[in-house]
Amino acid sequence: MPSVTRRRAPDPARHALVEAQILAATERLLAQGTSFTDLGVQRIATEAGVARSTFYTHFRDKSELLMRLANTMRTTAFDVASEWNPTAGAQGLAEVFGEIVGIYREYAPVLTALNEVASYDPTVREFWAAALNRFVENTVRLLTADQESGTVPADLDAGHAARIIVLGGDRAISEHVAATGPDTSGDAAFARELALIWWHGAYRRPA
């Protein structure tokens, strides 16, 4: 009877380790100022210490790689934002924004790559739009609850208000981080101003 060579089952721990190496290598290259568009798969693989074919074992293409990197940022920021409740007041909101500014700083190279690739890749653009929509939906929920409790005027359009403050806030934080580089001295003041604009413009808009 002919012998049968059995293929060894993939090791989940090894798979996760190699994937982490590729993600970390990409972050290092981006932090060095390399444009994501100009960053080839071979260079990523070399930096990660793996074969080019190994890259494609873990990621369909560079866009999927970028979205995996951005997903960590998205999840971390959303977890912080979703823990805030209007009962914490404007000061609590300023603290939340301070944390989110820190997250944006940590992932600044990834954010730059996202904005770069979203301009020509509809998959990445839709991915990030969906990410921001989670924040919009959470904000709508909070504003609607405040309307029901009578702390926000009934004539506030929660949907429009949420999109304006979330999308505007995302852009403002991104530009603040890009403009200030490694200088964090103005982060607390920036977070406070953003929180007060959100608070008085929507969460506690006067009747």
Side-chain angles (χ1 to χ4, degrees):
M1 185 173 180
S3 61
V4 177
T5 302
R6 296 187 181 277
R7 182 174 294 176
R8 181 180 297 178
D11 179 355
R14 172 63 181 168
H15 185 90
L17 177 62
V18 173
E19 191 169 282
Q21 287 176 217
I22 296 171
L23 291 169
T26 306
E27 286 192 85
R28 286 196 301 273
L29 291 168
L30 291 174
Q32 292 168 12
T34 307
S35 162
F36 190 79
T37 302
D38 296 334
L39 189 57
V41 169
Q42 183 58 61
R43 186 173 177 189
I44 295 172
T46 299
E47 177 72 18
V50 301
R52 179 186 174 91
S53 58
T54 301
F55 174 95
Y56 288 108
T57 299
H58 294 266
F59 303 97
R60 182 179 64 254
D61 51 28
K62 287 202 315 174
S63 292
E64 182 181 350
L65 168 65
L66 178 58
M67 289 186 287
R68 290 285 293 281
L69 282 171
N71 191 54
T72 303
M73 172 189 170
R74 174 180 68 174
T75 302
T76 304
F78 184 79
D79 287 346
V80 170
S82 61
E83 287 178 2
W84 179 79
N85 187 285
T87 57
Q91 179 56 39
L93 186 57
E95 291 170 2
V96 165
F97 279 129
E99 288 188 60
I100 292 176
V101 169
I103 294 167
Y104 272 55
R105 283 199 178 283
E106 181 182 354
Y107 289 91
V110 175
L111 203 56
T112 298
L114 265 176
N115 291 328
E116 172 192 342
V117 178
S119 66
Y120 61 81
D121 187 327
T123 301
V124 172
R125 184 164 58 249
E126 289 166 12
F127 161 81
W128 192 242
L132 291 176
N133 197 51
R134 287 189 68 196
F135 289 85
V136 171
E137 290 172 351
N138 184 60
T139 305
V140 168
R141 179 182 62 79
L142 294 173
L143 289 172
T144 301
D146 272 1
Q147 284 181 311
E148 292 172 353
S149 69
T151 52
V152 165
D155 66 349
L156 177 138
D157 189 310
H160 288 322
R163 290 191 64 79
I164 290 167
I165 60 179
V166 169
L167 301 184
D170 170 71
R171 184 59 180 263
I173 296 172
S174 298
E175 292 192 355
H176 169 72
V177 169
T180 54
D183 181 8
T184 62
S185 61
D187 286 0
F190 174 87
R192 179 178 180 276
E193 291 303 321
L194 188 55
L196 290 174
I197 288 169
W198 277 46
W199 184 255
H200 295 293
Y203 288 113
R204 292 296 182 270
R205 176 190 295 184

